Amino acid sequence: MSGDLKWNKILGAGLATAFVIIGVQQLTGAIYHTEAPEKMGYFVDAPEEAAGGAAEVELPPDWGTVLPAADIAAGEAAFARCQACHNVAQGGPNGIGPNLFGVVGGPVMHAAGFAYSDAMSAHKAEAPNWTYDELDQFITNPGRHVPGTKMSFAGIRDQQTRINLIAYLRSQGSGGYAIPAPDPARQPGAAAPAEGAEGVEVAPGAYQATEDAGGPAGGAPITGAAGQPAVEESPAAPSAASSSTASPR
């Protein structure tokens, strides 16, 4: 008889423990119950235009002034983010993006055998060469400058970082591409391009168009190694080079 009571006690203790565990789960669930949000995540309101509706226009760099003073070492460091897709070594292979040796001042879609997007092909008809302004605008926001580009790089918003990067790219096979003379109209404090002005697109990060490859007084693209520059879908996502790395694709 006593043996039966012993097993009853053991079973009773086990059931009691199970009831306690279940009860604690139910109680904590009721205490810490939360409702799922209607919309996941957080909305960040970061409009590109000022509240008044007027677009803030950034003057394009005065290449004749900023390039001679650019920090090429900093540009090489900036190119590190491009190495996953781009190679900047002379004769280097194409990667996810085209090889960028000699890209500055060179023709768009210069890399032989690289499968460029239809969007880049269409853009080439409007801007056949990677001028300083073209590279700067593309690196700022590839998807906005060339809608439909395969380049998924978000872009580089800091202007000085872009200047350093372009200076570095120029040092990689594009040294013969002329630096334009300083342009007073692009100096700090100069009036921003007015809306509707010829060759001007008023939009955040917009640039005043110029007829040459590097802005006013920029030299025409050259042939040979310096004139082989190339950029594909994103001048902001270049790859490694024999001595450095950085560039658009």
Side-chain angles (χ1 to χ4, degrees), residues 73-157:
E76 180 178 2
F79 183 70
R81 72 190 72 182
C82 310
Q83 293 178 350
C85 299
H86 296 279
N87 188 315
V88 76
Q90 183 174 15
N94 293 319
I96 295 175
N99 177 282
L100 296 173
F101 181 79
V103 66
V104 182
V108 170
M109 298 176 64
H110 70 292
F114 187 82
Y116 290 91
S117 67
D118 292 339
M120 188 59 68
S121 298
H123 183 71
K124 180 180 180 180
E126 302 175 3
N129 296 97
W130 285 114
T131 68
Y132 295 122
D133 282 342
E134 271 296 310
L135 280 173
D136 189 41
Q137 294 178 66
F138 187 63
I139 294 173
T140 300
N141 190 326
R144 182 175 62 193
H145 190 58
V146 182
T149 177
K150 292 191 297 184
M151 176 103 165
S152 60
F153 184 65
I156 298 175
R157 300 298 187 270

Side-chain angles (χ1 to χ4, degrees), residues 170-213:
R170 181 175 179 273
S171 73
Q172 301 302 304
S174 299
Y177 186 63
I179 294 176
D183 181 2
R186 294 190 176 199
Q187 293 291 333
E195 182 175 3
E198 182 178 358
V200 175
E201 176 185 356
V202 178
Y207 296 78
Q208 183 173 7
T210 56
E211 295 182 355
D212 55 65

